[in-house]
Amino acid sequence: MKQLIEILENIKPGVDFKKEKHLIDDEIIDSFDIVTIVSQINEEFDIDFPVTEIMPENFNSAEALYKVITKIIND
Amino acid sequence: MSFLTIKYALFLFIAILIYYIFPKKYRWITLLISSYIFYYISSKFLTIFLLISTITIYLAGLFINKINISEKQLSKNIKPEEKKQYKNNIKKQKRLIVLLTIIINFGILGVLKYSGFALNNINHLLSIFNTPPMPIMTFVLPLGISYYTLMALSYVVDVYRGKLKATKNFGKLALYLSFFPQMIEGPISKFDQTAKSLYEGHKFKIDNLIYGISLIILGVFKKLVIADRAGIYVNNIFKTTPHGLPMFLGAILYTLQIYAEFSGCMDIVLGSGKMFGVNLPENFKRPFFSKSIQEFWRRWHITLGAWIKDYIFYPISLSKLNMKTGSFFKKHLPKSLAKFLIVAFPLLFVWLYNGIWHGASFKYIAYGLYYYILIMIGILLAPLLLKIRTKLKINQENIIYKIYEMLRTTLFVVIGMMLFRSHSLMTFIKSFMNLFKKGPINIMDFGLKPFDFIVLIIYIIALIIIGIYQEKGIVIYDKIKKQNIFIKYLIYFVAIISIIILGIYGKGYDTSSFIYGQF
Amino acid sequence: MIKKIISFIIFIIVTILTLYIISPIFIPKWTKSEDNYITKIVRGYYAEKDNSLDILFMGNSDMYRGMMPIYLWNEYGIASYSYTSSGQRMWTAYYVLEDALRSQNPDIIVFNVDSFNFVNHSSESCYRKAFDNMQLSLTKLKAINDPIYEFSLFDKLSFIFPVLRYHSRISELTKEDFKEAYGYHTFETKGQDMSADIKPFEAKDIYMENRYETVAFPEKTKAYVNKIVNLCKKKDIKLILVELPSGDSWSYAKNQTMTKYAKEKNLPFLDFNLLLDEMDFDWNHDTADGGDHLNIYGALKVTKYMGKYLKENYDIKDRRKDKNYADWFETSKIYNKNRKNLINGV
């Protein structure tokens, strides 16, 4: 989880990813950011983030994103 | 069938009547029948294409379903070493089905809409080699094919992705694809957005009727009073491509025209849907309040942008090829440049597709590329602009700065619209060059009187004021609903009288042609 | 619930009424010579006191140029009016007659038959000039619904609510549009369109000479002329068919057809084109536009003959001693002044 927060802060500095719960709804991160984030996640967690998981719910908060990453690793 | 005819009003009235007369569980059938009658009236035997699309996605969905079910049953018996291979096989099978469906559906659309353009260009090439040209057939397009094809493919891909479970109910799927208000200009809805609402019968609520009629009146007003009025000037100015200010005004008025017409049409569409208790997705969200081009395309023709994002942008940007290339760039290039490159590739496809979706010509391709270049420049310049802003101590949240961003975005959009409206890319370039020359022309020479300009200016001011309230989250319709009955009727009265007096319809009155002429 | 239904119905009624009430503002005011004063002719007719007119002149533009009702008043005390439309076809003539008889019951109607064989439509402007100032009545509704006009549903609605046709004039409305929208004022010419122009008719010696041609009386138009004849008979009105001097639309052939018809219907038919010498008529001087229409000089000559004819053959009422017609003297004074100014080019 800490690793994930680091990634996020690297890509989008100035946002409090520990607290924010409406990253997508409030348009704090956009589709370009998502692609950049996923690219970094793929590298660091050694996964292939599938298109099927690109959903607003999964990116609205760091926790939600971490849950998805875990799910992908376990599959 | 055009929305602005007595024919459509009558059709809508009868469709609504029949809908609510039937018992709830059969209401979706009346919708399906109404939709196909509407479609047949508009497209006659071309209805077969709509049916073909529906059948292909229905079967594709069922096949994928079957594969999923058999996978669940069989996967227990698969040894762990073979699991990955097995899963890949399953994926390949499903992919094949989706690919086939895409080829059939895009194939139909491609031949009907784009073969003329493609063959034309091939023939130009052939003529260079002195080869005789290939015969070109022009086709009448089935109504809404650009819209329902996208909707059909979104269904199949969503089933493939596991977002949806394929439906066994052919009628339900057919209704999703053919709901008549969406057939003329969209919106492009996803299966999980509208299918359920279309299928379940809705209880009669007078509020839905009133809301629907209100939206329709608003749409008619935007089209007849604003769009068609601006259109008079636009049509005249784009015939002659003059210099300077009048040309620029033409581009602005065209932007206004297409906004009023398209969003007005959407009002009629959503209003029609609402009268059946169905909520169709919005296509416009105060687009001229956008602070960037990316934001503009999230507020203008929203459902097209969403479709392209979900079915072109993400699949390409998250593909192995793009991800591997991205990683490579990240290792060897500065951060911002790497970000730029990781989206540059998928975005090219996004904007090429956006362009060509609008029409089969180089002009439209150029239109898409225009926004591509703007966005790419924006991404490249972002860190530099941030530095400048910090140096000048300009706060991004400052209202003046926000207004600047909105005006800047609107300016880019106006130029884009000028290209969109020009006869060809060449004519646009000529017109654009002419913008900076001065000409002896008067803006009153293009069919509009000062009175007309005042009407348009009042509308723009109203748009800004109402937009500001809506940006703050205030829903205008709810505010009106709370007023007393006299004020409510007064608003409708003013709207209807305005449409009748200010609307551009019928013949104009020309004194000279009425002077005693022939017997 | 009832309250909601009632308020909705009231809303509908108010909206429709508003459209009806504001429409006259948008109708163009055809009050100048280039529009042949049509608005004044029609609205001036409605301004006449009910049942005060003894003779009506009806027909097309030949009639409103060629007859001079004020002469008949000055000379014989005859209370008459020219209630006409430009480019009038026989079907319009019938409905204009029906409309005329809503407020008047004349003893005599003099009807110009010039367009008896025209089967095509008048121009849109002629149809609108005939109907837009016509009061809304059962007659008007019957007329616009008559399939012979081939009016679309939108057209028909626009005859009841002219704002639908003329709404684009919102950007050019003038004070006159508001002032002349409502109310009826006497037209001092009693329906005459005065022109002092002189343009000689070139073919004056040959236009009535062709003795070989024949002209049929089309069934389409005859049906409506029959209706005119029958309506006059029913109302006990003496109908006189006439053809005012017309260089470009009359011929000997047409004369023969109309003479035959008049004989069948036992009606008098006065063809002024064959009475030119008796009237001392001069095609070089008495036409305003080269033979199409008469000017005030020609109109005077025609009216003089008409007056004598009426006096000799009919029982005419002299209204000059009648207190109810006192205003005709004032009107005639205004007319005479205007006529003098017109002749002097003022």
Side-chain angles (χ1 to χ4, degrees):
Chain A
M1 183 68 178
K2 220 173 42 174
Q3 192 182 7
L4 176 60
I5 303 273
E6 247 183 67
I7 295 173
L8 292 171
E9 283 175 350
N10 228 331
I11 290 171
K12 202 95 186 179
V15 179
D16 188 350
F17 286 101
K18 296 195 192 94
K19 289 225 178 85
E20 286 290 351
K21 302 274 183 253
H22 297 281
L23 294 166
I24 297 290
D25 301 334
D26 292 347
E27 294 189 10
I28 298 173
I29 57 176
D30 65 15
S31 46
F32 296 171
D33 298 322
I34 290 179
V35 170
T36 325
I37 292 169
V38 166
S39 154
Q40 202 60 29
I41 289 175
N42 281 350
E43 262 184 52
E44 300 206 15
F45 290 90
D46 194 24
I47 54 172
D48 266 320
F49 203 98
V51 181
T52 46
E53 296 295 345
I54 303 291
M55 281 183 274
E57 307 87 78
N58 292 347
F59 283 82
N60 250 339
S61 68
E63 284 101 50
L65 190 51
Y66 192 69
K67 266 206 192 105
V68 178
I69 297 174
T70 328
K71 187 173 114 182
I72 299 171
I73 294 177
N74 290 337
D75 264 345
Chain B
M1 207 191 294
S2 157
F3 277 139
L4 269 84
T5 54
I6 296 190
K7 208 171 168 193
Y8 178 73
L10 214 63
F11 179 88
L12 184 64
F13 177 70
I14 296 174
I16 292 171
L17 206 65
I18 296 180
Y19 183 79
Y20 288 109
I21 283 179
F22 273 71
K24 245 193 193 179
K25 63 174 179 174
Y26 298 123
R27 284 181 184 167
W28 72 272
I29 300 182
T30 73
L31 270 189
L32 180 60
I33 295 177
S34 302
S35 297
Y36 265 85
I37 292 178
F38 181 88
Y39 201 86
Y40 184 77
I41 293 176
S42 302
S43 293
K44 301 281 159 37
F45 65 89
L46 295 175
T47 311
I48 191 85
F49 290 110
L50 177 63
L51 269 170
I52 292 176
S53 286
T54 315
I55 294 172
T56 57
I57 65 174
Y58 176 70
L59 293 176
L62 288 186
F63 277 134
I64 295 178
N65 238 24
K66 215 166 129 200
I67 294 176
N68 285 336
I69 291 174
S70 68
E71 181 197 3
K72 264 214 180 90
Q73 292 174 329
L74 296 177
S75 65
K76 311 178 200 138
N77 306 333
I78 307 285
K79 293 177 237 166
E81 325 75 84
E82 293 176 354
K83 215 168 199 165
K84 197 166 187 194
Q85 175 79 321
Y86 177 70
K87 280 224 156 103
N88 275 343
N89 276 341
I90 297 286
K91 210 171 177 199
K92 272 204 195 116
Q93 282 178 18
K94 290 198 274 191
R95 266 218 185 125
L96 190 62
I97 295 173
V98 175
L99 203 62
L100 216 62
T101 318
I102 293 177
I103 289 176
I104 295 175
N105 282 284
F106 263 148
I108 294 175
L109 177 62
V111 169
L112 294 181
K113 190 169 172 182
Y114 299 100
S115 63
F117 172 62
L119 284 175
N120 235 328
N121 289 303
I122 293 177
N123 283 343
H124 279 145
L125 245 77
L126 290 178
S127 70
I128 298 180
F129 296 108
N130 283 329
T131 324
M134 313 219 297
I136 303 180
M137 287 208 286
T138 44
F139 301 98
V140 177
L141 292 180
L143 185 68
I145 188 172
S146 300
Y147 301 96
Y148 75 69
T149 304
L150 296 194
M151 288 170 65
L153 293 175
S154 82
Y155 170 76
V156 175
V157 175
D158 282 351
V159 170
Y160 167 76
R161 288 179 180 172
K163 185 177 170 210
L164 290 175
K165 186 158 175 259
T167 179
K168 294 207 176 84
N169 191 331
F170 184 76
K172 185 176 182 186
L173 188 60
L175 176 56
Y176 157 71
L177 209 57
S178 67
F179 185 46
F180 70 87
Q182 292 178 260
M183 289 293 104
I184 297 186
E185 288 195 5
I188 301 163
S189 63
K190 304 217 180 108
F191 189 79
D192 59 1
Q193 276 177 318
T194 57
K196 180 155 174 265
S197 179
L198 285 168
Y199 187 68
E200 60 191 16
H202 293 280
K203 191 168 140 192
F204 177 81
K205 284 203 194 120
I206 192 77
D207 278 343
N208 283 343
L209 279 191
I210 296 176
Y211 187 50
I213 292 178
S214 308
L215 277 180
I216 291 177
I217 292 177
L218 177 64
V220 172
F221 178 89
K222 282 185 190 172
K223 165 77 168 131
L224 285 186
V225 176
I226 304 299
D228 287 351
R229 179 170 260 101
I232 294 174
Y233 184 96
V234 170
N235 290 340
N236 284 328
I237 206 119
F238 276 90
K239 259 190 252 180
T240 56
T241 62
H243 308 302
L245 179 64
M247 187 69 219
F248 187 62
L249 183 60
I252 293 177
L253 286 181
Y254 178 64
T255 309
L256 179 66
Q257 176 190 4
I258 201 175
Y259 170 70
E261 183 159 341
F262 199 179
S263 70
C265 179
M266 284 301 107
D267 291 327
I268 297 176
V269 169
L270 267 65
S272 302
K274 191 73 185 182
M275 290 168 93
F276 295 102
V278 174
N279 290 323
L280 296 173
E282 294 270 1
N283 248 347
F284 292 93
K285 208 172 95 171
R286 303 169 292 284
F288 300 104
F289 282 79
S290 305
K291 300 195 284 296
S292 69
I293 295 290
Q294 285 103 297
E295 191 183 352
F296 179 78
W297 284 96
R298 290 196 295 265
R299 288 172 177 254
W300 174 283
H301 206 168
I302 296 172
T303 58
L304 178 66
W307 192 96
I308 295 179
K309 182 179 75 171
D310 290 327
Y311 303 103
I312 296 184
F313 179 69
Y314 281 136
I316 297 181
S317 63
L318 298 179
S319 66
K320 289 218 173 69
L321 172 65
N322 197 47
M323 286 282 115
K324 287 221 170 77
T325 331
S327 315
F328 175 77
F329 285 134
K330 259 188 280 184
K331 292 200 178 85
H332 298 95
L333 293 166
K335 197 167 70 175
S336 56
L337 202 56
K339 172 184 177 179
F340 169 82
L341 286 169
I342 205 176
V343 296
F345 180 64
L347 270 188
L348 180 60
F349 287 92
V350 164
W351 287 106
L352 278 177
Y353 183 71
N354 185 321
I356 201 88
W357 181 90
H358 281 96
S361 83
F362 284 119
K363 178 184 86 173
Y364 292 112
I365 296 177
Y367 177 72
L369 288 178
Y370 166 73
Y371 283 111
Y372 177 65
I373 294 171
L374 280 179
I375 290 176
M376 290 289 100
I377 294 177
I379 297 178
L380 277 176
L381 290 182
L384 177 64
L385 289 176
L386 180 59
K387 269 204 195 108
I388 296 178
R389 274 205 310 274
T390 344
K391 264 232 168 84
L392 294 176
K393 294 216 183 68
I394 297 173
N395 181 5
Q396 212 172 358
E397 296 303 309
N398 184 326
I399 185 76
I400 305 280
Y401 185 72
K402 279 190 184 166
I403 294 176
Y404 151 72
E405 288 184 299
M406 292 179 201
L407 289 174
R408 177 189 68 194
T409 308
T410 304
L411 178 62
F412 284 131
V413 168
V414 165
I415 294 174
M417 287 303 178
M418 194 172 139
L419 167 59
F420 194 79
R421 180 60 174 80
S422 293
H423 184 255
S424 70
L425 182 55
M426 286 297 123
T427 353
F428 165 72
I429 294 174
K430 237 194 290 180
S431 308
F432 189 76
M433 294 290 130
N434 281 345
L435 278 181
F436 303 101
K437 301 193 194 139
K438 235 192 166 153
I441 350 143
N442 191 345
I443 58 174
M444 294 299 162
D445 288 339
F446 295 94
L448 290 188
K449 306 201 190 88
F451 176 83
D452 298 304
F453 284 109
I454 293 176
V455 170
L456 294 176
I457 290 173
I458 292 179
Y459 175 72
I460 293 175
I461 294 175
L463 214 58
I464 295 175
I465 295 177
I466 293 178
I468 293 175
Y469 278 107
Q470 289 175 320
E471 284 290 300
K472 294 210 163 96
I474 298 169
V475 182
I476 303 290
Y477 186 73
D478 289 343
K479 282 233 131 172
I480 295 178
K481 244 177 125 177
K482 293 202 183 98
Q483 306 299 317
N484 70 57
I485 199 161
F486 179 73
I487 304 238
K488 280 196 273 203
Y489 272 129
L490 186 64
I491 293 177
Y492 287 105
F493 178 78
V494 169
I496 293 175
I497 299 289
S498 301
I499 293 174
I500 292 179
I501 294 184
L502 298 175
I504 306 291
Y505 62 90
K507 299 173 249 194
Y509 178 69
D510 173 22
T511 3
S512 56
S513 69
F514 257 61
I515 284 174
Y516 180 69
Q518 7 132 291
F519 257 130
Chain C
M1 181 59 181
I2 295 286
K3 189 171 156 216
K4 282 201 180 142
I5 295 180
I6 291 182
S7 44
F8 178 69
I9 294 178
I10 293 179
F11 166 72
I12 298 290
I13 293 177
V14 167
T15 308
I16 293 179
L17 267 177
T18 306
L19 291 176
Y20 182 73
I21 291 174
I22 62 171
S23 278
I25 299 173
F26 289 84
I27 299 175
K29 308 300 178 290
W30 300 299
T31 53
K32 307 262 175 6
S33 65
E34 59 261 23
D35 287 308
N36 309 108
Y37 311 97
I38 281 291
T39 300
K40 291 190 172 200
I41 292 176
V42 176
R43 298 187 80 83
Y45 179 77
Y46 294 122
E48 296 294 317
K49 275 192 214 124
D50 277 8
N51 301 321
S52 64
L53 298 171
D54 296 318
I55 299 184
L56 278 186
F57 295 100
M58 310 198 82
N60 62 2
S61 51
D62 286 346
M63 184 57 92
Y64 63 59
R65 278 292 184 83
M67 198 59 66
M68 190 176 151
I70 290 289
Y71 173 84
L72 296 174
W73 167 261
N74 287 334
E75 204 57 33
Y76 301 100
I78 294 176
S80 68
Y81 199 102
S82 258
Y83 187 41
T84 55
S85 345
S86 72
Q88 193 186 74
R89 296 293 182 268
M90 292 296 111
W91 43 90
T92 307
Y94 170 70
Y95 289 112
V96 170
L97 171 63
E98 237 196 55
D99 182 58
L101 296 179
R102 285 173 50 239
S103 55
Q104 302 289 339
N105 63 338
D107 301 319
I108 301 169
I109 289 186
V110 179
F111 178 53
N112 193 48
V113 297
D114 185 58
S115 56
F116 79 84
N117 64 329
F118 295 172
V119 293
N120 59 340
H121 281 302
S122 310
S123 64
E124 192 220 356
S125 88
C126 287
Y127 278 155
R128 296 239 58 124
K129 281 175 172 171
F131 285 115
D132 281 331
N133 282 298
M134 191 187 279
Q135 289 172 339
L136 187 64
S137 65
L138 238 60
T139 300
K140 185 171 182 181
L141 291 175
K142 254 172 53 187
I144 62 182
N145 256 311
D146 191 332
I148 200 155
Y149 284 102
E150 297 179 290
F151 288 145
S152 68
L153 176 59
F154 181 77
D155 289 337
K156 292 183 195 177
L157 281 173
S158 75
F159 279 113
I160 304 176
F161 303 99
V163 67
L164 292 174
R165 173 65 182 85
Y166 299 112
H167 63 279
S168 64
R169 296 192 66 235
I170 181 82
S171 56
E172 59 189 48
L173 291 179
T174 63
K175 248 196 287 215
E176 189 196 22
D177 281 308
F178 288 87
K179 263 176 61 191
E180 301 289 327
Y182 310 102
Y184 302 102
H185 326 292
T186 329
F187 190 21
E188 68 278 359
T189 71
K190 301 293 175 178
Q192 180 189 8
D193 170 15
M194 292 201 284
S195 167
D197 295 343
I198 300 176
K199 183 163 173 236
F201 175 36
E202 305 289 318
K204 59 186 170 66
D205 296 320
I206 52 173
Y207 82 107
M208 289 296 281
E209 290 311 297
N210 189 330
R211 294 291 193 265
Y212 300 107
E213 263 186 36
T214 53
V215 161
F217 198 161
E219 281 313 313
K220 183 178 178 182
T221 51
K222 196 190 260 190
Y224 285 89
V225 182
N226 287 343
K227 282 172 87 150
I228 292 174
V229 171
N230 292 338
L231 183 54
C232 288
K233 213 188 279 175
K234 193 168 111 181
K235 299 269 179 163
D236 223 354
I237 299 172
K238 298 189 180 61
L239 180 63
I240 306 174
L241 304 177
V242 302
E243 172 62 16
L244 262 52
S246 175
D248 74 336
S249 57
W250 199 250
S251 62
Y252 189 76
K254 284 178 80 164
N255 167 287
Q256 290 301 287
T257 309
M258 200 30 88
T259 309
K260 182 161 156 249
Y261 177 81
K263 199 153 163 225
E264 278 169 30
K265 296 291 179 177
N266 206 5
L267 294 168
F269 172 46
L270 222 53
D271 187 347
F272 286 94
N273 295 278
L274 296 178
L275 301 167
L276 299 178
D277 290 333
E278 285 88 325
M279 293 192 294
D280 221 359
F281 193 86
D282 179 5
W283 273 121
N284 283 323
H285 179 266
D286 296 332
T287 166
D289 50 16
D292 194 355
H293 302 96
L294 308 187
N295 51 29
I296 48 175
Y297 311 110
L300 179 57
K301 291 181 184 168
V302 167
T303 312
K304 269 198 177 131
Y305 190 97
M306 189 83 233
K308 243 178 69 197
Y309 177 86
L310 289 168
K311 187 74 179 172
E312 282 167 13
N313 295 291
Y314 295 85
D315 198 5
I316 0 214
K317 302 195 176 77
D318 185 337
R319 297 291 189 182
R320 283 172 289 192
K321 295 267 171 59
D322 190 330
K323 268 185 289 192
N324 293 320
Y325 292 79
D327 56 306
W328 281 72
F329 290 101
E330 185 60 44
T331 311
S332 149
K333 256 199 233 135
I334 300 173
Y335 173 86
N336 291 332
K337 195 173 86 178
N338 291 344
R339 184 193 164 87
K340 242 196 222 111
N341 288 340
L342 185 63
I343 294 174
N344 295 330
V346 167

